[in-house]
């Protein structure tokens, strides 16, 4: 389990998070949703050890403050909102950065093949020799996901779950690739790993998340199953606009039901 208690973060005079408690269980996708500036990314960064904050975070029972960088890398991998590449890496070179010795798998014989398998998993077969800076934004996002997957390819290691932390993993993707990425997250959780994802798309959240935490102004406003959190009242109050769940748009306009789609026709 991931358990964060009393997380508070202040930047100068601004309070970004105030006394946030958060839990996530292995075998599930736990989504963090909320409006811009609600503290979603900051909470993720505190729980992954990227930035300091008041309070404590325990991952699989261990206080992350007591874990070495190598221990943290064995337990979790992080997909940031934007992964800027400052050097002319090829796609394969970038994905191979996830192959830190001893992190990727219990079976060293498969290490060399993992980058290609990860690229195939995110729909980028044949992209290994291309330069990252020549790719579209969505392709670069999937390359970074492949790198993250390589780091913790096996959802379980030495009897403990490993964790994927995803910060807006589908922000630059078309609907087909959004579904592929979310299915990867679901498969990882179903295989025993834990997934924590910052999400903006509430429909995808409703489709794929097992649990949802709704943040607003640095505090937890609701927590529970999607049907318990994604309600008219909670969403409208948090986002500051009138939102209605499960209703048709006015004037007979077209609309898309993501839950009626699939990865394959």
């Amino acid at each position: 389990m991931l358990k964060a208690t009393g997380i508070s973060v202040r930047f100068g005079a601004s309070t970004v998070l105030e006394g946030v408690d958060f839990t996530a269980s292995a075998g599930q996708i736990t989504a963090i949703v909320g409006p811009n500036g609600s503290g979603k990314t900051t909470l993720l960064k505190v729980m992954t050890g990227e930035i300091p904050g008041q309070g404590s975070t325990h991952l699989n029972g261990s206080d992350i403050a007591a874990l070495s960088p190598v221990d943290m890398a064995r337990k979790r991998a992080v997909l940031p909102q934007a992964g800027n590449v400052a050097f002319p890496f090829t796609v394969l070179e970038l994905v191979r950065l996830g192959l830190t010795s001893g992190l990727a798998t219990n079976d060293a014989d498969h290490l060399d093949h993992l980058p290609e398998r990860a690229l195939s998993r995110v729909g980028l077969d044949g992209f290994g020799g291309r330069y990252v800076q020549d790719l579209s934004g969505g392709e670069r996002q999937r390359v970074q996901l492949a790198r993250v997957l390589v780091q913790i390819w096996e959802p379980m290691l030495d009897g403990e779950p490993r964790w994927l932390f995803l910060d807006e993993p589908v922000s630059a993707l078309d609907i087909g690739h959004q579904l592929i990425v979310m299915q990867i997250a679901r498969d990882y959780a179903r295989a025993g790993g834990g997934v924590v994802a910052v999400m903006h798309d509430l429909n995808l959240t409703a489709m794929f998340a097992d649990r949802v935490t709704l943040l607003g102004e640095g505090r937890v406003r609701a927590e529970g199953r999607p049907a318990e959190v994604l309600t008219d009242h909670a969403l409208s109050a948090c986002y500051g606009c009138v939102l209605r769940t499960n209703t048709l748009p006015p004037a007979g306009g077209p609309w898309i039901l993501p839950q009626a789609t699939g990865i394959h026709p």
Side-chain angles (χ1 to χ4, degrees), residues 3-252:
K3 184 177 179 63
T5 305
I7 303 300
S8 297
V9 176
R10 293 174 178 82
F11 296 134
S14 298
T15 298
V16 181
L17 294 172
E18 183 65 42
V20 170
D21 295 336
F22 177 88
T23 60
S25 297
Q28 296 184 344
I29 297 175
T30 303
I32 304 172
V33 301
N36 293 336
S38 58
K40 302 183 299 297
T41 293
T42 300
L43 177 60
L44 199 75
K45 288 182 176 180
V46 171
M47 295 190 299
T48 58
E50 184 174 345
I51 64 173
Q54 295 180 334
S56 64
T57 300
H58 287 77
L59 188 64
N60 297 343
S62 299
D63 189 337
I64 66 168
L67 295 175
S68 70
V70 170
D71 287 336
M72 285 288 284
R74 287 174 61 86
K75 294 176 182 291
R76 63 95 179 100
V78 185
L79 179 69
Q81 281 187 30
N84 296 321
V85 179
F87 300 98
F89 284 112
T90 66
V91 167
L92 191 58
E93 287 171 340
L94 182 61
V95 175
R96 287 183 64 85
L97 293 177
L99 283 178
T100 305
S101 178
L103 301 183
T105 178
N106 285 323
D107 188 350
D109 292 339
H110 295 295
L111 286 176
D112 286 341
H113 303 290
L114 283 183
E116 290 85 357
R117 292 175 64 187
L119 286 170
S120 178
R121 187 72 180 89
V122 301
L124 291 175
D125 280 309
F127 275 66
R130 295 179 61 177
Y131 285 100
V132 175
Q133 64 265 32
D134 293 336
L135 304 182
S136 70
E139 289 167 342
R140 289 196 299 269
Q141 191 169 24
R142 285 185 285 145
V143 169
Q144 293 287 358
L145 177 58
R147 175 188 59 77
V148 167
L149 290 174
V150 162
Q151 181 183 334
I152 53 170
W153 184 259
E154 295 177 355
M156 300 290 294
L157 183 68
D158 299 331
E160 286 192 351
R162 303 166 99 182
W163 292 80
L164 277 174
F165 290 88
L166 310 174
D167 195 355
E168 299 186 29
V170 298
S171 59
L173 304 181
D174 60 64
I175 189 168
H177 288 109
Q178 288 177 0
L179 291 167
I180 289 174
V181 168
M182 295 309 298
Q183 187 63 52
I184 289 172
R186 173 178 281 172
D187 291 345
Y188 197 86
R190 297 300 180 264
V195 179
V196 177
V198 170
M199 298 288 293
H200 271 301
D201 191 311
L202 298 179
N203 284 312
L204 284 175
T205 299
M207 285 175 64
F208 286 94
D210 299 289
R211 306 284 296 181
V212 179
T213 293
L214 175 63
L215 291 183
E217 297 181 338
R219 297 177 180 271
V220 175
R221 301 302 179 182
E223 185 276 331
R225 293 180 295 107
E228 298 169 335
V229 175
L230 305 179
T231 64
D232 295 357
H233 175 73
L235 294 177
S236 297
C238 199
Y239 284 88
C241 59
V242 177
L243 293 171
R244 295 286 181 263
T245 59
N246 300 318
T247 58
L248 291 168

